[in-house]
Amino acid sequence: MRKHTSNAWTQTLSEATLAARTGVCASVVEGSGPNHLRAFVEPWVAVARDERWGEGTSTTGFDTGISASMLEELRQQLMDCARHVVDLDWNAFAAARSGPLSAWCEESAQPDQPASDAYADVLKKGGWERVLAGHPALARLACVRQQLWCTAQRELGGRLRRDRALLERSFGEGRALGPLGAVHGSLSDSHCGGRSVSELRFGSGVTLFYKPRSLAAEAFYTRLISWLSATGFPYEGRAARDRKSVV
């Protein structure tokens, strides 16, 4: 597991560069967003996917690796970071086969090859590095975003492992939650280093929402609702349940 320091983004950049050279830009996973943009951010996603998520399970909490839905969240965040720069380069490439990638256009382009595939080939042959060389702030921004995302997922995994028994008592009626399936993040504005609300779906069918902060305010509101109900106050509020609601 990489220790994130002020200079750790350069290590991430080195690993992402190696991934780009090996051709991961051509291994685009279908999803929302244009393929040329998905291809451009894939090196950072590949580095995150290859993290040792299954090692040191007391801290990672993901025994079977990071899920595809979690990686898609990272992919979308990186696409938001790179969209303006990459769209400009892509438009120039697709329209006139010119711009900062022109040195590779002729050898990568084939008559029957879709423009998005040709662009992925160009990225593999040095175009990815050339774009970042012209936009160094994007290189650092994307690396830091990827690091923050990995840190937040490790925190989520560690808390899930630590609290699993409590979660099963509170929400599973004592039954096992089962393996963690889909995880859908970015359900709120990001804060505290890119953290946000996530939806967790377990193999048992239970769905929980993870909020990466204290639920003290929600707990107080729940007690208030209970007190109002006990006094006969005509208020029908919906109380929140957290992992400590049932012990």
Side-chain angles (χ1 to χ4, degrees):
M1 180 174 60
R2 183 185 299 109
K3 181 178 180 181
H4 292 171
T5 64
S6 59
N7 295 322
W9 74 271
T10 58
Q11 181 181 344
T12 298
L13 180 60
S14 296
E15 294 173 359
T17 300
L18 180 60
R21 291 173 180 173
T22 59
V24 298
C25 295
S27 305
V28 179
V29 178
E30 292 298 325
S32 61
N35 282 347
H36 68 272
L37 192 54
R38 294 178 72 86
F40 185 82
V41 304
E42 201 59 30
W44 287 288
V45 177
V47 172
R49 184 179 57 243
D50 293 341
E51 286 270 350
R52 301 184 186 90
W53 298 104
E55 295 183 11
T57 53
S58 62
T59 57
T60 65
F62 300 108
D63 300 330
T64 59
I66 209 76
S67 72
S69 59
M70 298 172 79
L71 288 174
E72 181 61 21
E73 176 196 350
L74 172 61
R75 195 176 282 111
Q76 293 296 325
Q77 291 184 13
L78 292 169
M79 288 167 61
D80 287 342
C81 292
R83 187 177 308 276
H84 295 298
V85 169
V86 178
D87 279 352
L88 286 172
D89 189 71
W90 157 255
N91 288 335
F93 174 84
R97 298 297 171 98
S98 61
L101 304 177
S102 59
W104 293 273
C105 286
E106 292 304 321
E107 68 176 83
S108 65
Q110 300 176 14
D112 59 345
Q113 187 179 33
S116 58
D117 292 344
Y119 188 72
D121 287 343
V122 165
L123 294 176
K124 176 182 177 180
K125 296 176 180 178
W128 190 83
E129 296 168 62
R130 180 167 294 227
V131 171
L132 293 183
H135 301 275
L138 172 59
R140 180 165 186 167
L141 178 62
C143 289
V144 171
R145 168 57 63 184
Q146 190 253 34
Q147 290 176 344
L148 291 175
W149 182 88
C150 287
T151 298
Q153 303 318 306
R154 288 188 179 280
E155 182 179 81
L156 165 59
R159 289 175 173 176
L160 177 60
R161 176 165 295 279
R162 181 194 64 196
D163 293 339
R164 179 173 280 269
L166 186 55
L167 291 171
E168 290 174 344
R169 290 198 300 272
S170 299
F171 301 103
E173 299 179 350
R175 295 173 297 179
L177 290 173
L180 179 63
V183 178
H184 300 288
S186 299
L187 300 183
S188 69
D189 293 336
S190 62
H191 55 278
C192 267
R195 293 166 176 78
S196 64
V197 175
S198 297
E199 179 186 41
L200 314 179
R201 297 181 181 178
F202 296 88
S204 63
V206 172
T207 297
L208 301 177
F209 288 89
Y210 165 72
K211 302 189 76 170
R213 62 167 176 80
S214 169
L215 293 180
E218 285 83 353
F220 177 83
Y221 176 75
T222 298
R223 292 195 299 271
L224 175 61
I225 296 300
S226 298
W227 178 79
L228 289 174
S229 298
T231 60
F233 189 79
Y235 175 76
E236 296 182 1
R238 188 172 182 179
R241 281 183 75 192
D242 65 11
R243 73 190 197 283
K244 295 181 180 179
S245 296
V246 180
V247 178

